């Protein structure tokens, strides 16, 4: 062990390595707060060459390595074991280039998402990824988890926003594929292998991101709906009217909506009556007045068709923020509840039936309790939260079994956007065939034959 430490010191310098009590506990676990563990060491790499040197050494010694970004992950993917060395990317941050002609931004992997968003805005562009952890998460972590967020319906997943990558393989090989072109059919698209690989195939060190023109208008409305099928019809009608300008379609079931309202400042629902479903819809485009007219016309048509029972149209940015505050009550869950969270996806036509059956299953199992359902349904993504405080003695494992067994029957996926990490690996076979899993293992074996990269994540 002393061999590898002295070689690491030579490679990155004494000051870039922390061991023992000098390790900040933020490296022990991610946002899940699951199984905190003090790793053997944390290495703060400052260049691709340093990452390559560290991996070359660790590979030669069979030393497990855990890549860490901002530690905001929700699947336990960045949690180290006590025998692991962490490679932290936090000191590899910065924007290297904005190419206005190609509409791309080249960044180092440790750059926080919010820094990227702000730099894009300053240059007259926008970066299509947005999520609640924007201030702390890093683009390398976003890419490694193929993060989704609130704009997927308009901009796609992280996978759709990356044109090129630089990655260091387990043996220290630097794979530089910093492509800026939209069309590039020259064999396998290797970058896609690393996007969503959760640190198990390589350490991402640089990325070329795809930018979009900055949108200048935004319309927001909260709509009350009679049932799930009508919500889907309404979503498609909005898309017919507004095309790619639909930027959010957040569906909330009543218990979620009521909790959200109770946590807002004035605690008052915008509607006089209770409704079976609520959709927060948003349009982002380029022409304020014309966009407002198209949005208003789409809502009027839906009201006249009887698809909407009621609707509130935000008249200002602060009214829009007040409507979003109901949906963003999720940020309060860790303080207010003992949340057991699920991030699942299903074909959009099945989400309503799944949510109903899941609720019936919970009611039959536990009687009165609090469970919450909301979804980015345009992205086929449903989030389910059970408040463990309202089900005495319930374990995460027991709720996992209930939800994932039902999900398997519906042909859904156990992770829509947070990844598998440590927490869902047992359930990966619920969503992937034996042949798919065998193929994944062959890829892992080919790229990391000694199994040093993030062992125990994704697979047992
Ligand atoms: C308040 C909040 C809201 C969130 N909202 C969303 C949301 O709407 N949508 C969504 O998809 N996610 C959401 N997340 C979770 C999301 O996955 C993370 O925020 C983010 O994508 C992870 O980035 P990170 O830098 O924190 O990565 P970490 O947590 O540090 O790591 C995550 C995984 O990536 C790997 N990794 C990190 N950096 C690298 C690298 N450079 N190379 C290779 N592997 C690496 C790690 O090993 C680990 O497996 C949210 C989290 C929070 C706390």
């Amino acid at each position: 062990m002393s061999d590898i430490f002295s070689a690491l010191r030579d490679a990155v310098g004494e000051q870039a390595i922390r061991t023992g009590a000098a390790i900040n506990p933020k490296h022990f676990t991610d946002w899940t707060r699951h199984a905190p563990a003090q790793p053997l060491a944390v290495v703060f790499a400052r260049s691709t060459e340093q990452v390559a040197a560290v991996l070359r050494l660790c590979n030669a010694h069979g030393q497990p390595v855990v890549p860490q970004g901002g530690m905001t992950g929700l699947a336990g993917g960045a949690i180290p074991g006590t025998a692991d060395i962490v490679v932290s990317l936090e000191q590899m941050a910065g924007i290297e280039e904005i190419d206005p002609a190609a509409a791309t931004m080249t960044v180092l992997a440790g750059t926080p998402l919010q820094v990227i968003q702000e730099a894009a805005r300053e240059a007259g562009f926008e970066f299509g990824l947005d999520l609640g952890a924007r201030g702390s998460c890093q683009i390398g972590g976003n890419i490694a988890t193929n993060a989704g967020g609130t704009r997927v319906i308009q901009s796609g997943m992280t996978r759709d926003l990356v044109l090129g990558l630089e990655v260091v393989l387990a043996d220290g090989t630097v794979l530089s594929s910093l492509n800026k072109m939209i069309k590039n059919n020259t064999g396998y698209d290797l970058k896609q292998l690393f996007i969503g690989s959760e640190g198990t195939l390589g350490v991402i060190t640089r990325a070329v991101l795809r930018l979009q023109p900055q949108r200048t208008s935004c319309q927001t409305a909260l709509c009350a709906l009679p049932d799930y099928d009508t919500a889907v019809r309404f979503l498609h009608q909005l898309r017919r009217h507004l095309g790619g300008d639909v930027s959010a379609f957040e569906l909330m079931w009543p218990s979620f909506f009521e909790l959200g309202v109770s946590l807002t400042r004035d605690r008052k629902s915008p509607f006089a009556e209770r409704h079976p479903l609520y959709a927060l819809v948003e349009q982002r485009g380029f022409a304020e007045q014309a966009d407002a007219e198209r949005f208003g016309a789409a809502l009027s048509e839906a009201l006249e068709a009887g698809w909407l029972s009621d609707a509130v149209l935000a008249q200002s940015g602060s009214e829009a923020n007040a409507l979003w505050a109901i949906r963003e009550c999720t940020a309060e869950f860790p303080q207010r509840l003992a949340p057991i969270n699920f991030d699942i996806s299903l074909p959009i036509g099945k989400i309503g039936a799944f949510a109903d059956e899941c609720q019936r299953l919970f009611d039959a199992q536990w009687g009165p309790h609090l469970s919450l359902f909301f979804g980015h349904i345009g992205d086929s993504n449903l989030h389910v939260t059970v408040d463990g405080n309202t089900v005495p003695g319930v374990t995460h494992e027991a709720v996992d079994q209930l939800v994932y067994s039902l999900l398997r029957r519906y042909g859904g996926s156990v992770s829509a956007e947070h990844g598998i990490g440590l927490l869902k690996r047992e359930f990966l076979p619920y969503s992937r065939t034996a042949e798919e899993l065998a193929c994944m293992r062959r890829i892992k074996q080919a790229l990391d034959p000694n199994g040093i990269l993030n062992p125990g994540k994704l697979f047992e």
Side-chain angles (χ1 to χ4, degrees), residues 203-283:
V203 178
I204 297 159
T205 45
R206 270 192 178 79
V208 180
L209 307 175
R210 191 174 184 175
L211 304 178
Q212 297 171 334
Q214 193 175 344
R215 292 177 175 83
T216 49
S217 85
C218 184
Q219 327 296 325
T220 310
L222 182 67
C223 304
L225 294 136
D227 56 58
Y228 183 79
D229 289 345
T230 306
V232 175
R233 217 173 298 138
F234 175 46
L235 169 63
H236 290 308
Q237 181 247 13
L238 279 179
R239 280 180 157 155
R240 262 196 313 277
H241 274 273
L242 311 176
D245 287 355
V246 179
S247 55
F249 193 95
E250 304 281 300
L251 199 67
M252 296 171 271
W253 276 252
S255 53
F256 179 97
F257 180 78
E258 282 151 20
L259 179 72
V261 167
S262 76
L263 296 176
T264 58
R265 218 168 334 139
D266 61 7
R267 299 172 178 208
K268 206 168 162 302
S269 170
F271 302 116
E273 289 171 36
R274 193 171 200 247
H275 296 275
L277 283 170
Y278 304 87
L280 182 64
V281 300
E282 187 188 74
Q283 173 202 30

Side-chain angles (χ1 to χ4, degrees), residues 1 5 9 75 114 182 193 210 270 296 355 366 369 372 404 447:
M1 195 47 69
F5 276 117
R9 277 189 203 98
Q114 191 167 341
I182 306 284
L193 259 187
R210 191 174 184 175
W366 306 315
H369 71 283
L372 307 159
Y404 292 137
L447 292 182

Side-chain angles (χ1 to χ4, degrees), residues 44 72 133 201 375 377 451-452:
F44 296 92
T72 68
L201 296 181
I377 68 151
I452 63 154

Side-chain angles (χ1 to χ4, degrees), residues 30-31 66-74 76-79 89 109-110 130-133 136-150 157 197-200 202-205 327 331 376 383 417-418 421 454 457:
D30 63 8
W31 201 264
V66 178
Q68 284 187 353
M71 299 302 276
T72 68
L74 297 174
I79 302 176
L89 277 294
D130 193 26
L131 46 92
S136 321
C137 64
Q138 301 173 4
I139 193 67
N142 300 144
I143 295 170
T145 56
N146 185 27
T150 52
M157 299 281 282
S197 66
E198 301 186 51
T200 61
V203 178
I204 297 159
T205 45
R327 152 67 187 85
H376 322 287
H383 290 285
E417 55 179 5
H418 297 160
N454 220 0
K457 312 294 166 44

Side-chain angles (χ1 to χ4, degrees), residues 200-430:
T200 61
L201 296 181
V203 178
I204 297 159
T205 45
R206 270 192 178 79
V208 180
L209 307 175
R210 191 174 184 175
L211 304 178
Q212 297 171 334
Q214 193 175 344
R215 292 177 175 83
T216 49
S217 85
C218 184
Q219 327 296 325
T220 310
L222 182 67
C223 304
L225 294 136
D227 56 58
Y228 183 79
D229 289 345
T230 306
V232 175
R233 217 173 298 138
F234 175 46
L235 169 63
H236 290 308
Q237 181 247 13
L238 279 179
R239 280 180 157 155
R240 262 196 313 277
H241 274 273
L242 311 176
D245 287 355
V246 179
S247 55
F249 193 95
E250 304 281 300
L251 199 67
M252 296 171 271
W253 276 252
S255 53
F256 179 97
F257 180 78
E258 282 151 20
L259 179 72
V261 167
S262 76
L263 296 176
T264 58
R265 218 168 334 139
D266 61 7
R267 299 172 178 208
K268 206 168 162 302
S269 170
F271 302 116
E273 289 171 36
R274 193 171 200 247
H275 296 275
L277 283 170
Y278 304 87
L280 182 64
V281 300
E282 187 188 74
Q283 173 202 30
R284 291 171 69 250
F286 299 96
E288 185 67 45
Q289 198 178 332
D291 289 351
E293 282 166 15
R294 282 191 304 145
F295 193 65
L299 291 186
S300 300
E301 188 182 295
L303 276 162
E304 277 160 29
W307 295 348
L308 302 187
S309 318
D310 206 345
V312 175
L313 181 62
Q315 302 296 331
S316 64
S318 61
E319 284 188 18
N321 290 343
L323 297 179
W324 270 103
I326 300 172
R327 152 67 187 85
E328 287 180 342
C329 68
T330 44
E332 303 268 328
F333 285 5
Q335 287 80 43
R336 309 259 172 180
L337 319 172
I340 301 174
N341 293 319
F342 296 89
D343 151 52
I344 56 184
S345 65
L346 297 119
I348 182 168
K350 293 185 180 178
I351 290 179
F354 176 88
D356 290 347
E357 194 169 346
C358 197
Q359 182 73 70
R360 279 198 300 274
L361 200 65
F362 291 165
D363 291 343
Q365 194 85 9
W366 306 315
H369 71 283
L370 180 65
S371 49
L372 307 159
F373 295 78
F374 84 95
H376 322 287
I377 68 151
D379 321 332
S380 58
N381 186 182
L382 179 70
H383 290 285
V384 181
T385 296
V386 173
D387 180 9
N389 286 335
T390 63
V391 193
V394 79
T395 61
H396 205 305
E397 291 70 25
V399 192
D400 279 355
Q401 281 300 345
L402 275 183
V403 173
Y404 292 137
S405 300
L406 182 64
L407 185 73
R408 190 179 208 176
R409 268 214 282 118
Y410 275 79
S413 159
V414 298
S415 173
E417 55 179 5
H418 297 160
I420 298 298
L422 202 55
L423 299 184
K424 284 175 243 169
R425 58 182 190 183
E426 186 191 330
F427 299 100
L428 185 57
Y430 283 30

